[in-house]
Amino acid sequence: MNNRFFQLIILIIVSISFILTGCSGSDTTSETSDTNTSSNAKRYEVDTNETNDTKTSTQSQSQTAEQKMENKKLLPATIVKNVDGDTVDINLNGKIEKVRMLCVDTPETHHPRLGVQPFGPEASEYTKKILSVGTKVEIEPGLGGGRDKYGRLLAYIYVNGKMFNEMLLEEGLARVAYIYAPNTQYVDEFYAIQKKAQKKGVGIWSIENYALDDGYNTENAKGVDEKAANSNTSSGTNYQNNPSDDQETNLDCKGKIKGNVNSHIYHVPGGNYYDSTTDNIIWFCSEKEAQDEGYRKSKR
């Protein structure tokens, strides 16, 4: 009798233990489930916020670009005549206007004093090809609606959504020039494009010391096949060099790699033009150093 009673007591205790353990496990599972649900909810909220932020940023950038285009106040026009690389005639609101492209300068093709300059015909042909007669363009007049001393409208020209002034610089058919306030809003972009063309050595940048800050040195271009391209001998058509000419920099490397600051071309000892390059000199200790600075090796 006592044994049965004792066994019954043990059975009850074991049963109670199982019941308590089950409740505890259920609570733990519930808590874990609640924690996972909360974590997932927070993760979804973060992901959603990041997605929304990305969308908002993209929309904001798109709106900013659109606003910039709207702020440019572009005027529709039609090309009616090609004059030269940087000048065209357009029909603007029923009136024929001669447009001189702002902040760029292409070599001359029929200047009364300078005549035909190297890459002038190429620049004219490129303009004639892209801005052929009848082409629909958009004009962004210079700030203040300025005109030059010849009465030409100063403006930026857009074709198929791209600025043609920049296209000329990309092809190495123009240099950045005639920068006057208030029309300076694109100057940084223009110089960046020009630097890339210089590094590639395309167009006007293929002739050392030809395209200068103050014009085109036609005398140097004529002498490409006869003498060093940067000769300063003048016969009346040579432009004056920059005030900083005849200066040398980075003298610690003097006698090694000789770079020309104007053309971004470097010369190695023994090269055809090494000794004759005398202006705007920057010295480099190695070709790699010159190349890292954006200079290209002379082809001769």
Side-chain angles (χ1 to χ4, degrees):
M1 178 70 179
N2 290 333
N3 289 337
R4 290 182 179 178
F5 180 76
F6 182 71
Q7 291 174 353
L8 180 61
I9 293 298
I10 292 175
L11 181 61
I12 292 172
I13 292 173
V14 171
S15 299
I16 292 174
S17 297
F18 276 120
I19 293 173
L20 292 176
T21 302
C23 290
S24 176
S26 176
D27 291 342
T28 301
T29 302
S30 177
E31 290 176 359
T32 301
S33 176
D34 291 343
T35 300
N36 289 338
T37 301
S38 175
S39 178
N40 290 335
K42 289 180 179 179
R43 189 179 298 110
Y44 175 77
E45 182 179 351
V46 170
D47 291 343
T48 301
N49 289 338
E50 290 179 350
T51 302
N52 290 336
D53 290 343
T54 301
K55 290 181 178 179
T56 301
S57 176
T58 302
Q59 291 173 351
S60 177
Q61 292 175 357
S62 177
Q63 289 174 354
T64 300
E66 291 176 357
Q67 289 173 354
K68 286 182 178 180
M69 287 298 292
E70 291 177 357
N71 292 336
K72 286 182 178 180
K73 298 179 181 178
L74 302 182
L75 306 175
T78 304
I79 302 294
V80 297
K81 181 182 179 181
N82 297 109
V83 180
D84 58 22
D86 53 32
T87 308
V88 294
D89 288 354
I90 64 170
N91 185 326
L92 180 64
N93 296 325
K95 180 182 178 182
I96 304 301
E97 289 274 12
K98 188 177 295 294
V99 176
R100 174 62 169 81
M101 299 176 206
L102 269 168
C103 303
V104 296
D105 178 43
T106 62
E108 299 291 346
T109 53
H110 41 72
H111 193 279
R113 179 173 63 86
L114 301 175
V116 179
Q117 296 179 313
F119 289 100
E122 288 85 345
S124 293
E125 284 300 316
Y126 183 72
T127 300
K128 187 180 297 184
K129 175 183 176 182
I130 305 299
L131 302 181
S132 58
V133 174
T135 299
K136 301 296 182 182
V137 296
E138 291 178 300
I139 304 299
E140 180 184 0
L143 299 178
R147 293 177 181 271
D148 64 10
K149 61 183 180 180
Y150 304 108
R152 299 177 298 186
L153 178 65
L154 300 174
Y156 306 97
I157 298 180
Y158 294 81
V159 57
N160 297 324
K162 186 169 183 177
M163 188 193 294
F164 185 71
N165 307 50
E166 293 182 345
M167 294 169 68
L168 285 171
L169 295 172
E170 289 173 354
E171 297 293 325
L173 297 175
R175 66 187 181 92
V176 180
Y178 307 120
I179 307 299
Y180 302 112
N183 295 303
T184 59
Q185 65 268 42
Y186 302 120
V187 171
D188 290 341
E189 291 92 330
F190 281 13
Y191 275 117
I193 294 171
Q194 175 173 282
K195 187 173 182 179
K196 290 181 180 179
Q198 287 176 320
K199 188 173 182 180
K200 293 178 181 177
V202 296
I204 60 176
W205 307 112
S206 64
I207 305 175
E208 188 169 1
N209 278 352
Y210 171 50
L212 305 177
D213 288 343
D214 54 359
Y216 291 100
N217 191 327
T218 55
E219 184 65 19
N220 279 352
K222 290 178 183 179
V224 168
D225 295 326
E226 303 171 1
K227 58 183 179 178
N230 64 332
S231 170
N232 293 313
T233 303
S234 174
S235 61
T237 59
N238 190 38
Y239 288 87
Q240 294 298 315
N241 283 331
N242 301 326
S244 60
D245 280 359
D246 302 322
Q247 295 184 2
E248 299 183 19
T249 56
N250 199 21
L251 296 180
D252 290 340
C253 298
K254 186 170 183 177
K256 297 181 179 179
I257 306 300
K258 182 186 289 187
N260 184 290
V261 176
N262 226 14
S263 63
H264 272 63
I265 294 175
Y266 71 84
H267 306 270
V268 298
N272 287 0
Y273 300 154
Y274 187 83
D275 294 330
S276 58
T277 299
T278 58
D279 295 335
N280 292 320
I281 301 302
I282 179 172
W283 293 98
F284 298 104
C285 291
S286 67
E287 289 191 56
K288 183 179 185 304
E289 182 182 348
Q291 293 167 1
D292 289 343
E293 290 297 319
Y295 284 69
R296 63 184 179 85
K297 188 175 182 178
S298 173
K299 296 179 180 179
R300 302 186 182 187

